[in-house]
Amino acid sequence: MKVNIQSIHFDADGKLLELVQKKLNKLDTFYDRIIDADVYLKIDKDLHQENKIIECKINIPGQSLFVKERSRTFEVALDESLEALKAQLKKFKEKAMV
C-alpha cells in the first residue's frame, strides 16, 4: 500500500515515519483492496498535554475512510487511529458481503 505522510509545521523523525508506514501496512490483513493512505501529523499549539494529532484517510474502491485522533504522543494517537480504522474496515467489508 502506498502511504503519503506529511508532517505539518515540524520535521518528523525518521523512526516515526517508519512506524506509521509499518503499522498502516498491517491494515492489509483486514482488507486487501486498500489503494493508498494519506497521513497528516500535526502538533497543536494549545497548552493541552494532548497536542499531537494524527489524521488518516484510507482510500478503498468506491469510498474513503477517515480518522482523526489526538493524544500525548504520536505513537498513542497512531494506535488509537488504527483501532478505529480496523473497525471501519471490518464494517465496510461486512456491508460489501451482504
Side-chain angles (χ1 to χ4, degrees):
M1 163 183 21
K2 182 180 175 196
V3 179
N4 302 314
I5 304 171
Q6 295 182 17
S7 52
I8 312 293
H9 302 301
F10 77 102
D11 291 326
D13 183 50
K15 289 182 181 180
L16 177 61
L17 298 176
E18 286 177 25
L19 180 68
V20 170
Q21 176 79 42
K22 180 179 154 190
K23 290 206 174 198
L24 280 174
N25 283 336
K26 290 182 180 179
L27 289 176
D28 283 336
T29 60
F30 296 96
Y31 190 70
D32 61 352
R33 297 183 59 206
I34 297 173
I35 299 168
D36 62 0
D38 296 313
V39 179
Y40 300 96
L41 307 172
K42 300 178 184 180
I43 297 179
D44 200 0
K45 297 199 185 230
D46 287 345
L47 299 175
H48 294 105
Q49 291 278 339
E50 297 183 350
N51 65 343
K52 309 292 189 297
I53 301 170
I54 290 184
E55 294 180 0
C56 187
K57 183 175 110 178
I58 301 249
N59 296 308
I60 54 179
Q63 193 169 352
S64 293
L65 306 176
F66 182 79
V67 167
K68 180 177 181 179
E69 291 293 336
R70 173 188 292 260
S71 188
R72 288 192 139 159
T73 66
F74 283 118
E75 290 80 4
V76 173
L78 178 62
D79 288 340
E80 291 172 356
S81 62
L82 286 175
E83 289 302 315
L85 283 170
K86 285 178 193 176
Q88 288 184 29
L89 283 170
K90 287 179 183 178
K91 189 174 184 179
F92 176 79
K93 196 172 178 180
E94 286 174 6
K95 283 184 178 180
M97 294 181 109
V98 173

